Amino acid sequence: MVLLFDFIYRQFIHKPPPPTASFKGKTVIVTGGSGGLGLEACRWMIRLGASKVIIACRNIAKGEAAAEEVQATTSCSPDALQVWELDLSSYASVQSFAKRVTTELSRVDAVLANAGIGTRKFRMTEDNEETITTNVVSMTLLAFLLHPKLRETATKYNTQTHLTVTCSELYEVATFKESNVPDGQIFATLNDKSKAVMSDRYNVSKLLELYIIKEFAARFPVSSSGVIVNAVAPGFCNSELHREYSGVLVDFLVRILARRTEVGARTLVYGASVGEESHGQYVPDCKIKETKGLTKGKEGAELQHRVWVELKQKLEAIQPGVTTLS
Ligand SMILES: NC(=O)c1ccc[n+]([C@@H]2O[C@H](COP(=O)([O-])OP(=O)(O)OC[C@H]3O[C@@H](n4cnc5c(N)ncnc54)[C@H](OP(=O)(O)O)[C@@H]3O)[C@@H](O)[C@H]2O)c1
């Protein structure tokens, strides 16, 4: 019931304010910047003065079209927007994207880890079900690979940089039945088609993102890194996220309930500019909020630890040493 009231309040009464922080001179990376919330976040960043916005996407033609649209509506210099290939369903693509960032960009002030999928179809990419590879494993791999660049930028320019993940309020309703297994078996169970609860899968992926942000932030404090790590939630928005669920009812609900992506994207931009009080925090609608559900208490702490231990092992198998940040 509380969740329902909260939903109604957020969708119909409260509107995240337009962002005002300056991104002047800054370089920003937006994954999934070719559409939906990511595209609108790119547009906001340009309006707020960013010198360079990297649209990181798997479909270059779609990314180029997005860049042209942002340029046409903001009259920014064509050089301000660059389209770089990044496919989160491939670890090799994540690694080569991160290598390019490290070698070609002189600074990175913010990474909006925004790309994500929602599906009820069980498909494997790399060694996981696709939602887990895209929203969880590759997102975390990218976070580890780009953290050194964010840290370097913070030191070199005497500033604080941001790693902001687009989470979702749906983490609250995750039942995460796949966690009722012995230690070390969570990812194997998520990747077992016969045991996967696909109706809960997107919610679980967003719960795992929260665990990761909390754990990552605790291990790499802003005081030593200069990198603020947080998770935002944009509310229910009219994007392409629901493409695999489309039908008369879903289309109707989206039309009457959903926010415009421009409005939801304000929360992403806020996350990439808010201060260090947001480190390790959940920031829906531009406000820090305590998390609920399976993140709470002893059970939440245990689950977070188990997920982190397993995920670290997976990342180390992809690239030995990647989780060791100085
Ligand atoms: N819309 C909502 O109501 C809502 C609510 C809460 C949270 N979110 C979160 O917001 C984020 C953005 O979603 P959206 O609503 O803007 O949906 P969207 O319009 O579907 O955008 C998702 C973006 O992620 C990209 N993407 C998907 N898989 C990828 C992959 N393997 N490699 C690289 N990019 C990939 C998509 O690229 P393609 O266009 O090539 O597919 C697209 O650019 C997601 O993390 C989502 O979970 C959305």
Side-chain angles (χ1 to χ4, degrees), residues 31-39 56-59 62 86-90 113-118 130 134-135 166-170 202 205-206 209 232-243 258 261 268:
T31 74
S34 57
L37 291 158
L39 166 57
C57 58
R58 59 181 167 178
N59 180 336
K62 195 173 169 185
L86 169 66
D87 184 352
L88 294 167
S89 66
S90 152
N114 162 76
I117 57 162
E130 188 180 8
T134 308
N135 299 5
T166 310
C167 193
S168 165
E169 27 295 282
L170 287 176
Y202 176 78
S205 76
K206 295 293 158 180
E209 286 182 356
V232 295
F236 179 42
C237 299
N238 187 355
S239 69
E240 288 181 60
L241 187 69
H242 316 99
R243 62 187 100 174
T261 45
L268 277 57

Side-chain angles (χ1 to χ4, degrees), residues 122 124 127-129 132 178 181-182 184-196 201 310 314:
F122 189 100
M124 293 292 285
D127 50 341
N128 311 286
E129 182 279 319
I132 298 300
E178 296 93 340
V181 289
Q185 292 300 310
I186 292 178
F187 280 86
T189 310
L190 287 165
N191 298 329
D192 180 342
K193 190 175 180 182
S194 67
K195 295 185 181 136
R201 180 52 52 100
E310 283 196 41
K314 285 181 90 70

Side-chain angles (χ1 to χ4, degrees), residues 137-178:
V137 182
S138 285
M139 184 281 288
T140 316
L141 177 63
L142 189 66
F144 270 109
L145 291 170
L146 296 187
H147 193 271
K149 191 73 187 182
L150 287 163
R151 184 185 173 132
E152 179 194 285
T153 305
T155 309
K156 198 164 151 191
Y157 297 95
N158 191 24
T159 186
Q160 285 179 328
T161 55
H162 288 80
L163 172 62
T164 296
V165 176
T166 310
C167 193
S168 165
E169 27 295 282
L170 287 176
Y171 86 86
E172 279 184 45
V173 295
T175 57
F176 198 14
K177 297 261 189 277
E178 296 93 340

Side-chain angles (χ1 to χ4, degrees), residues 13-91:
I13 301 167
H14 175 75
K15 223 183 195 185
T20 52
S22 173
F23 281 82
K24 200 160 184 284
K26 294 191 173 180
T27 297
V28 179
I29 294 170
V30 182
T31 74
S34 57
L37 291 158
L39 166 57
E40 293 304 331
C42 291
R43 202 189 316 270
W44 270 117
M45 299 288 194
I46 290 288
R47 284 194 181 126
L48 294 166
S51 305
K52 199 177 280 179
V53 173
I54 308 291
I55 298 178
C57 58
R58 59 181 167 178
N59 180 336
I60 293 292
K62 195 173 169 185
E64 299 283 7
E68 275 172 32
E69 199 211 305
V70 173
Q71 202 213 328
T73 52
T74 60
S75 306
C76 68
S77 141
D79 298 342
L81 289 154
Q82 290 186 19
V83 180
W84 289 21
E85 189 172 348
L86 169 66
D87 184 352
L88 294 167
S89 66
S90 152
Y91 299 148

